[in-house]
């Protein structure tokens, strides 16, 4: 039978029993585990009784999530305070009437479970949420129970159920009581009251079962000689979250002991008599014979006697590891059978099983009279974490999992199944904060630290809903309720705000937060293949350090609490903030960091040193790093080859550059590939290539940084390619091919390649003409790479990318784009706000093309610029801007056509938007064609070589003006018909 099918047999009454028993020793469980309809608590005077005169401040003793706590004060008081179990104060407002002040305190469904303190009028009282004032349960003809300590002087427990009623005094020592129930089969509700507390218990009396009993002989001191034989198996639960036990492995040598119940059905090793003990065989099985058919027993398993079935590392012994309980088979009084139950953490998840100290944690109840050959099984896991204990060695703790993973052979993966309530909240969400007294270092693993939390029914537990995202308009980190993607890159079309933009996907807030000792780092991963996921963590050293290959870090908040805020007030500037977020050392090849946030570090957000090659940062937000103003730090410091940064955000680096790249040696290896990312509002350069070849930046947005968008330094930095990016509103030029050791802003063209310059001193493109046809959706452009009229053959075959720098609605502000290293210069040099398309320079470095700009509204006051990329990947700076267009009132749309008839060429130019005062028609004559005659409506024409221009005035909308040419055919192979259609227009 599987865990799942067996678990369905647990009744609601049994759930109530378990909750109350646990709360009696450990206040606080999940809110869903109380208030389920079987037990309801009411407080204050009951109907039909005389009210008790209030004395000072008072409130009900115990409440459940969803209630409204009623708080009274005998006298006039206006305000008070409710302090929750996390130590957070909540103001309450009283209303005064008839000599009594009253206030209400609502308990949300996700309220923290535990004890609350009310303060008002100089007095304090307490109440408990989720804690039963009267705990009661029905077992085999008796209602047993306990009352809380504060009720022990309130007199007897008064009970009433059908014809059964009376009162009973609880025991002084522990408040326990037991009421015999003689009722026919059926379902009943018993009302129990003590003082001002009341509980209604729903229970079922079952038909008596006739059992053929064997003869039972008395215990003679040497063991039972006849009676019931009970058996079971002790398993290692190998897949904690899988409800099917077919994957579990039997444990040999487990110590199992059976105790005779002293009559109260509550296990106590001091009063329940140990009868027999045994160890499990090679099949994990144990048995006890000769049990009294009319008796109850407790079966206990010693955790320290267990050993893993997966094998241990060389030199490790069973004493080095310790498992925690996950399930068992026990008697269920609501069904009258022995049923499977999930039992994470044993009787008390905060207590370590230690028989020498009288702590028996893994105990099952046996009713010999109802035993029907069920296998009384126990399940244990070395991977499960059930509590928030931050000290070393505690059973079921994080440290115990890490120790187990170190000594057990192979890969171990944590499973958080929290049997204690969340201990931290922010008013809207809850999570578990583990205040560690150690750093997670020197655990060799390999292991997976997975912070996903399951509740004790093995359902994923989202106590901390929401996501961490980034608002690119407000330029800040935010919390959101849905995982909708945020556009961060330009996509394949190289343009912002289109359907193919790269998206940053928000990061789910985790349920586990780790806080190591001040002065230490948080986590060091030293074994290949290890991973950490779904945690929030911070430290005053390096938060996460990797010193092994193939490490994975995902869905983590580094430098943040679980609700995405700095860990303490002023944390981000205090001496205790993290030195670094993530450090990948020289053995960290192939590491992956994805779907994570790194924020609020004094120094670098992410560092990679030589040897950490082929790493990936994917969907990562690096925010407010390098906060120490004295250290010269960056957000991402790249000292290793072949890093890939994709769909990431790097913003608000306070001290220096966002990304700084320095590969070791003399330019060996390859710089990073940075794709589909947003790099904005950093103090220094967006991307600073100090020494690295073959860096590629593509489809990214680089804007509003305190210096240039991209800087390339050092003659060793060659082959660095920048393509289809949106680079604008940086404080200096968009791309700066600087000098070794620094920047020099604009470097004007010199017409040659220089091997001692960054990116070989690649020249930018010079745009000499452009025509934007808004109706046809085309941009006709021409120019050269290098110096006009110069031999530009060095730049043959260069790929020219054309950008809209700005128009009258948006784009780059051109601030700082008219400076060389020291001086202000006459011209402005562009940044690339919007990618328009690309073409290729010919063997002489010249280019001309018609680009498809359909769907782009050009606006007016257009400014164009371009970059050129050599065959070896060296990209230039942005070229000098080309001003195109005028003011809104005189900008017009013009179209042109060309037809061929025999030896006559007919061209038309037509206004498409009102009367145009002046326009120009451009044509590139095919090489080899001879013009014999020319006529038309133009008022002026000029030509230079094969380039012809005709000027027209007063073009009326829809009325074409013409140019007619007569030509000689010439040699038949000197030109082709397709060469005829190099035509462009320019409205004035």
């Amino acid at each position: 039978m599987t865990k799942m099918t067996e678990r369905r047999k647990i009744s609601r009454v049994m759930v109530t029993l378990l909750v109350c028993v646990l709360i009696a020793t450990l206040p606080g469980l999940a809110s869903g585990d109380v208030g389920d309809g079987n037990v309801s608590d009411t407080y204050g005077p009951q109907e039909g009784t005389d009210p008790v005169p209030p004395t000072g401040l008072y409130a009900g003793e115990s409440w459940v999530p969803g209630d409204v706590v009623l708080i009274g004060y005998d006298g006039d008081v206006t305000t008070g305070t409710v302090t929750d179990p996390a130590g957070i104060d909540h103001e309450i407002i009283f209303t005064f009437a008839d000599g009594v002040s009253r206030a209400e305190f609502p308990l949300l469904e996700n309220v923290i479970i535990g004890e609350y303190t009310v303060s008002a009028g100089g007095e304090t009282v307490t109440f408990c949420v989720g804690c039963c004032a009267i705990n009661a349960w029905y077992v085999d003809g008796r209602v047993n129970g306990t009352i809380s300590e504060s009720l022990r002087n309130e007199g007897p427990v008064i009970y009433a159920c059908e014809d059964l009623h009376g009162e009973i005094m609880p025991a002084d020592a522990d408040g326990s009581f037991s009421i015999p129930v003689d009722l026919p089969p059926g379902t009943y509700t018993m009302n129990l009251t003590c003082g001002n507390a009341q509980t209604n218990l729903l229970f079922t009396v079952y038909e008596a079962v006739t059992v053929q009993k064997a003869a039972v002989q008395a215990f003679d001191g040497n063991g039972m000689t006849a009676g019931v034989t009970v058996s079971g198996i002790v398993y290692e639960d190998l897949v904690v979250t899988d409800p099917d036990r077919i994957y579990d492995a039997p444990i040999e040598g487990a110590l199992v002991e059976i105790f005779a119940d002293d009559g109260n059905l509550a296990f106590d090793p001091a009063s329940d008599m140990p009868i027999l003990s045994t160890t499990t065989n090679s099949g994990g099985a144990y048995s006890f014979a000769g049990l009294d058919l009319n008796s109850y027993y407790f079966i206990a398993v010693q955790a320290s006697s267990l050993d893993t079935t997966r094998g241990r590392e060389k030199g490790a012994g069973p004493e080095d590891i310790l498992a925690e309980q996950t399930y068992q088979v026990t008697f269920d009084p609501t069904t009258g059978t022995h049923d499977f139950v999930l039992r994470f953490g044993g009787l008390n998840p905060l207590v370590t099983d230690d028989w020498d100290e009288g702590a028996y944690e893994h105990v099952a109840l046996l009713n010999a009279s109802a035993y029907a050959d069920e296998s009384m099984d126990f399940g244990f896991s070395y991977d499960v974490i059930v509590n928030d204990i931050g000290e070393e060695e505690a059973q079921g703790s994080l440290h115990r999992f890490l120790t187990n993973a170190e000594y057990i052979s192979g890969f171990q993966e944590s499973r958080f199944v929290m049997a204690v309530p969340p201990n931290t909240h922010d008013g809207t969400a809850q999570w578990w904060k583990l205040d560690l007294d150690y750093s997670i270092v020197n655990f060799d693993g390999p292991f997976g630290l997975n912070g996903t939390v399951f509740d004790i029914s093995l359902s994923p537990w989202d106590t901390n809903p929401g996501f961490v995202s980034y608002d690119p308009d407000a330029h800040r980190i935010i919390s959101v309720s849905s995982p909708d993607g945020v556009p961060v890159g330009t996509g394949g079309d190289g343009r912002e705000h289109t359907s193919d933009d790269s998206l940053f996907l928000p990061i789910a807030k985790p349920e586990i937060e780790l806080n190591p000792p001040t002065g230490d780092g948080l986590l060091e991963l030293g074994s290949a293949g290890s991973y950490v996921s779904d945690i929030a963590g911070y430290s005053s050293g390096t938060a996460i350090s990797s010193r092994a290959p193939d490490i994975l870090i995902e869905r983590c908040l580094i430098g943040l609490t679980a609700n995405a805020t700095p860990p303490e007030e002023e944390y981000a500037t205090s001496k205790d903030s993290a030195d670094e977020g993530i450090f990948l050392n020289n053995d960290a090849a192939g590491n992956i960091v994805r779907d994570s946030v790194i924020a609020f570090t004094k120094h670098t957000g992410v560092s990679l040193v030589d040897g950490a090659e082929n790493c990936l940062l994917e969907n990562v937000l690096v925010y407010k790093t390098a906060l120490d103003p004295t250290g010269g730090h960056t957000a991402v410091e790249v000292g290793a080859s072949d890093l890939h940064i994709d769909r990431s955000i790097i913003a608000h680096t306070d001290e220096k550059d966002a990304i700084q790249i320095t590969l070791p040696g003399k330019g060996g290896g390859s710089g990073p590939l940075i794709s589909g990312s947003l790099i904005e509002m950093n103090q220094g350069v967006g991307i600073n290539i100090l020494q690295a070849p073959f860096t590629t930046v593509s489809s990214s947005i680089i804007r509003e940084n305190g210096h240039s968008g991209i800087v390339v330094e050092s003659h060793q930095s060659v082959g660095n390619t920048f393509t289809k990016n949106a680079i604008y509103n940086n404080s200096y030029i968009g791309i700066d091919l600087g000098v070794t050791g620094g920047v020099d802003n604009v470097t004007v063209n010199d017409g040659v390649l220089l091997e001692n310059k960054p990116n070989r001193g690649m020249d930018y493109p010079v745009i000499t003409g452009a025509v934007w046809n808004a109706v046809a959706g085309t941009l006709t452009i021409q120019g050269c790479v290098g110096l006009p009229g110069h031999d530009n053959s060095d730049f043959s075959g260069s790929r020219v990318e054309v950008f809209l720098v700005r128009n009258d609605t948006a784009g780059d502000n051109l601030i700082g784009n008219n400076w060389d290293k020291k001086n202000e210069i006459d011209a402005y040099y562009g940044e690339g706000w919007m990618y328009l398309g690309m073409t290729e320079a010919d063997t002489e470095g010249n280019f001309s093309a018609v680009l498809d700009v359909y769907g782009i509204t050009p606006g007016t006051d257009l400014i164009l610029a371009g970059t050129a990329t050599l065959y070896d990947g060296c990209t230039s700076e942005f070229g000098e801007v080309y001003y195109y267009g005028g003011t809104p009132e005189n900008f017009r749309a013009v179209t042109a056509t060309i037809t061929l008839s025999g030896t006559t060429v007919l061209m038309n130019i037509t206004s498409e938007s009102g009367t145009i005062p002046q326009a120009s028609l451009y044509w590139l004559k095919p090489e080899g064609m001879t013009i014999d005659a020319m006529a038309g409506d133009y008022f002026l024409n000029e030509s230079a070589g094969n380039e012809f221009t005709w000027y027209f005035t007063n073009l009326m909308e829809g009325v074409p003006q013409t140019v007619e040419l007569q030509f000689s055919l010439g040699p038949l192979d000197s030109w082709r018909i397709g060469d005829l259609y190099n035509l462009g227009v320019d409205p004035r």
Side-chain angles (χ1 to χ4, degrees):
M1 186 179 297
T2 66
K3 294 178 188 174
M4 186 62 74
T5 55
E6 292 171 346
R7 179 157 47 88
R8 290 174 181 159
K9 300 173 68 176
I10 300 173
S11 72
R12 298 180 71 192
V13 174
M14 188 61 181
V15 172
T16 303
L17 167 64
L18 290 174
V19 169
C20 292
V21 169
L22 287 174
I23 287 176
T25 57
L26 173 66
L29 285 180
S31 60
D33 287 338
V34 292
D36 63 358
N38 296 331
V39 176
S40 60
D41 296 337
T42 58
Y43 304 93
Q46 308 300 311
E47 293 185 9
T49 63
D50 294 331
V52 179
T55 303
L57 182 65
Y58 54 94
E61 179 178 343
S62 184
W63 304 80
V64 297
D67 284 347
V68 175
V69 179
L70 305 177
I71 302 168
Y73 179 78
D74 184 19
D76 189 359
V77 66
T78 56
T79 62
T81 301
V82 174
T83 304
D84 66 25
I88 298 175
D89 293 335
H90 308 267
E91 186 180 34
I92 53 175
I93 306 298
F94 286 86
T95 301
F96 179 71
D98 300 325
V100 177
S101 298
R102 296 178 175 85
E104 295 183 350
F105 183 70
L107 302 175
L108 304 177
E109 290 299 331
N110 61 352
V111 70
I112 296 180
I113 306 301
E115 187 174 76
Y116 290 66
T117 301
V118 183
S119 302
E123 299 187 27
T124 61
V125 296
T126 61
F127 65 86
C128 192
V129 177
C131 312
C132 300
I134 303 176
N135 296 294
W137 60 93
Y138 174 79
V139 179
D140 196 23
R142 304 189 74 87
V143 170
N144 301 305
T146 62
I147 62 172
S148 60
E149 187 174 354
S150 60
L151 292 177
R152 304 229 177 122
N153 295 320
E154 296 293 327
V157 174
I158 301 171
Y159 59 90
C161 177
E162 301 286 335
D163 295 331
L164 178 67
H165 52 81
E167 60 182 49
I168 187 169
M169 288 299 297
D172 293 336
D174 58 4
S176 62
F177 60 88
S178 182
I179 304 168
V181 175
D182 184 14
L183 293 170
T187 299
Y188 300 91
T189 299
M190 176 177 284
N191 176 263
L192 302 104
T193 60
C194 183
N196 66 346
Q198 177 179 272
T199 294
N200 292 319
L201 173 66
L202 182 69
F203 64 96
T204 300
V205 177
Y206 292 92
E207 193 78 45
V209 178
T210 302
V211 179
Q212 183 66 40
K213 299 183 180 180
V216 178
Q217 297 183 10
F219 176 60
D220 63 5
N222 296 313
M224 293 292 184
T225 59
V228 175
T229 296
V230 63
S231 62
I233 300 174
V234 179
Y235 288 101
E236 181 175 1
D237 190 350
L238 296 176
V239 187
V240 172
T241 55
D242 191 319
D244 199 330
R245 279 191 283 168
I246 64 173
Y247 300 106
D248 297 350
I251 299 176
E252 182 179 4
L255 177 60
V256 187
E257 192 163 2
I258 190 165
F259 293 76
D261 176 43
D262 63 2
N264 66 359
L265 298 182
F267 178 69
D268 183 351
S271 58
D272 295 320
M273 181 180 295
I275 303 299
L276 294 169
S277 65
T278 186
T279 56
T280 57
N281 63 21
S282 60
Y286 70 90
S287 65
F288 296 108
L291 304 185
D292 184 352
L293 189 61
N294 296 310
S295 298
Y296 284 88
Y297 297 90
F298 295 102
I299 302 172
V301 177
Q302 185 184 49
S304 62
S305 70
L306 306 178
D307 195 4
T308 180
T309 63
R310 291 175 284 184
R312 288 176 266 105
E313 294 292 335
K314 185 177 181 180
E319 69 279 3
D320 294 319
I321 58 178
L322 183 64
E324 178 60 281
Q325 188 176 1
T326 60
Y327 63 79
Q328 67 184 36
V329 176
T330 190
F331 179 66
D332 181 352
T334 64
T335 64
T337 60
H338 296 83
D339 285 339
F340 175 92
V341 293
L342 294 169
R343 183 61 56 81
F344 288 94
L347 296 180
N348 187 334
L350 294 176
V351 174
T352 297
D353 187 63
D354 188 345
W355 289 14
D356 291 339
E357 297 296 326
Y360 289 73
E361 276 293 294
H362 315 302
V363 181
L365 176 63
L366 170 69
N367 181 353
S369 67
Y371 182 68
D373 293 327
E374 297 94 342
S375 185
M376 301 294 289
D377 297 342
F378 291 80
F380 293 85
S381 171
Y382 292 94
D383 305 327
V384 70
I385 300 167
V386 301
N387 58 51
D388 54 10
I389 296 175
E391 298 106 24
E392 298 183 11
E393 303 305 324
Q395 186 180 21
S397 68
L398 172 60
H399 192 280
R400 173 46 61 187
F401 160 73
L402 295 167
T403 303
N404 292 340
E406 184 174 13
Y407 290 117
I408 295 175
S409 298
F411 183 82
Q412 315 303 323
E413 191 170 24
S414 71
R415 287 293 179 262
F416 282 85
V417 186
M418 300 303 278
V420 296
N423 59 17
T424 308
H425 78 139
D426 62 1
T428 60
Q430 304 177 74
W431 62 93
W432 289 265
K433 179 182 177 184
L434 278 62
D435 290 315
L436 309 178
D437 64 2
Y438 58 90
S439 294
I440 304 174
V441 298
N442 300 322
F443 292 98
D444 292 333
F447 62 82
L449 178 56
N450 187 331
T452 302
V453 174
F454 298 84
D455 64 21
I456 55 175
S457 67
L458 292 180
S459 297
W461 204 351
D462 187 12
T463 65
N464 189 24
F467 301 83
V468 183
S469 188
Y470 185 79
D471 186 336
D473 296 320
H475 312 290
R476 63 185 180 89
I477 194 172
I478 56 173
S479 292
V480 294
S481 59
S482 64
D484 297 333
V486 176
V488 293
T490 62
D493 63 7
R495 302 168 188 168
E496 292 183 88
H497 311 304
T498 58
S499 60
D500 70 342
D501 288 353
S502 300
L503 298 178
F504 173 83
L505 301 179
I507 314 305
K509 294 181 180 179
E511 274 65 48
I512 298 297
E513 177 183 317
L514 303 180
N515 174 28
T518 299
D520 293 340
L522 170 62
L523 175 63
E524 184 178 273
L525 300 166
S527 294
S530 294
Y531 81 85
V532 57
S533 71
D534 302 281
I535 66 163
Y538 41 87
S539 70
S540 51
T542 296
I544 298 181
S545 177
S546 171
R547 54 184 181 85
D550 303 320
I551 298 291
L552 172 62
I553 301 167
E554 65 178 344
R555 297 188 301 276
C556 291
L557 305 185
I558 305 302
L560 296 166
T561 66
N563 67 341
T565 60
E568 62 183 67
E569 187 176 357
E570 302 299 328
Y571 176 91
T573 57
S574 77
K575 63 182 177 60
D576 294 329
S577 61
D579 286 335
E580 290 187 303
I582 296 176
F583 177 75
L584 307 181
N585 84 349
N586 57 355
D587 293 319
N591 280 207
I592 297 174
V593 181
R594 67 185 176 204
D595 302 331
S596 295
V597 180
I598 300 105
F600 303 111
T601 62
K602 280 194 300 187
H603 299 156
T604 306
V606 181
S607 293
L608 301 90
V609 301
D610 184 21
E613 67 273 359
N614 293 302
C615 291
L616 170 65
L617 305 183
E618 181 181 38
N619 206 70
V620 173
L621 169 57
V622 184
Y623 180 78
K624 277 193 174 293
T625 54
L627 297 174
D628 182 349
T630 63
H633 300 285
T634 65
V636 180
E637 188 167 331
V638 183
S641 180
D642 297 304
L643 170 68
H644 186 187
I645 301 175
D646 186 48
R647 294 189 301 106
S648 294
I649 301 171
I650 303 172
H652 292 282
T653 304
D654 273 17
E655 186 184 349
K656 204 173 179 184
D657 307 329
I659 302 175
Q660 196 171 87
I661 308 161
T662 309
L663 297 191
K666 297 183 179 180
S670 296
L673 166 60
I674 302 168
S675 58
S677 296
L678 172 62
I679 301 168
E680 71 164 19
M681 305 194 78
N682 300 287
Q683 187 71 25
V685 176
I687 302 172
N688 196 348
I689 305 172
L690 299 178
Q691 179 179 290
F694 309 120
T695 297
T696 299
V697 183
S698 67
S699 300
S700 295
I701 301 169
I702 304 169
R703 66 188 182 193
E704 300 184 54
N705 295 290
H707 209 283
S708 300
I710 300 174
V711 170
V712 185
E713 303 180 29
S714 169
H715 70 276
Q716 298 164 351
S717 299
V718 296
N720 296 290
T721 303
F722 318 121
T723 178
K724 292 187 177 181
N725 301 295
I727 304 176
Y728 60 95
N729 284 350
N730 297 288
S731 295
Y732 291 90
I733 57 177
I735 301 171
D736 182 0
L737 302 187
V739 295
T740 298
V743 300
D744 63 355
N745 297 318
V746 176
T747 303
V748 296
N749 283 352
D750 53 16
V752 294
L753 292 172
L754 299 171
E755 299 303 326
N756 64 343
K757 297 290 185 181
N759 263 10
R760 302 177 67 191
M762 177 65 184
D763 279 13
Y764 50 75
V766 177
I767 299 173
T768 59
V771 176
W772 192 302
N773 188 327
V775 175
T778 60
L779 172 64
T780 303
I781 195 160
Q782 64 182 24
C784 68
V785 180
L787 297 173
H790 186 269
D791 177 9
N792 294 313
S793 58
D794 275 1
F795 312 115
S796 171
S798 297
R799 185 180 71 247
V800 176
E801 295 191 4
V802 181
F803 295 84
L804 184 59
V805 177
R806 76 176 186 199
N807 60 17
D808 58 338
T809 61
D812 184 63
N813 54 28
L814 292 181
I815 292 175
N817 291 18
N818 60 331
W819 285 83
D820 63 12
K821 189 170 185 178
K822 297 180 179 178
N823 304 306
E824 185 175 3
I825 53 183
D826 294 336
Y828 282 84
Y829 289 76
E831 295 191 63
W833 167 48
M834 184 186 296
Y835 173 81
L836 299 177
M838 71 172 64
T839 186
E840 187 173 299
D842 62 19
T843 57
E844 300 299 323
N846 299 312
F847 63 87
S848 62
V850 179
L851 305 179
D852 180 5
V853 292
Y854 185 80
I856 299 176
T857 302
T860 57
D861 293 327
L862 274 68
I863 302 176
L864 305 174
T867 62
T869 301
L870 201 59
Y871 60 87
D872 63 357
C874 292
T875 298
S876 70
E877 297 179 352
F878 284 97
E880 183 178 343
V881 300
Y882 179 87
Y883 294 90
Y884 176 81
T887 57
E889 60 270 16
N890 62 24
F891 184 80
R892 297 292 184 266
V894 177
T895 60
T897 63
I898 184 169
T899 58
L900 174 65
S901 177
T903 59
T904 300
V905 174
L906 181 64
M907 303 180 205
N908 288 328
I909 180 170
T910 306
S911 168
E912 302 292 344
S913 56
T915 300
I916 296 178
Q918 183 174 315
S920 303
L921 179 63
Y922 301 91
W923 181 59
L924 188 63
K925 180 182 71 68
E927 188 71 33
M929 175 185 281
T930 302
I931 303 299
D932 297 328
M934 181 188 308
D937 299 321
Y938 53 88
F939 74 93
L940 177 66
N941 77 284
E942 58 185 15
S943 63
N946 291 331
E947 297 178 11
F948 286 76
T949 305
W950 296 272
Y951 298 94
F952 302 84
T953 59
N954 298 319
L955 274 74
M956 298 177 63
E957 184 173 356
V959 179
Q961 295 195 36
T962 65
V963 173
E964 185 175 312
L965 303 175
Q966 300 295 325
F967 65 91
S968 299
L969 288 174
L972 293 178
D973 58 351
S974 63
W975 61 280
R976 297 173 300 173
I977 299 249
D979 298 335
L980 192 68
Y981 297 102
N982 293 316
L983 189 69
V985 294
D986 186 3
R988 296 294 182 183

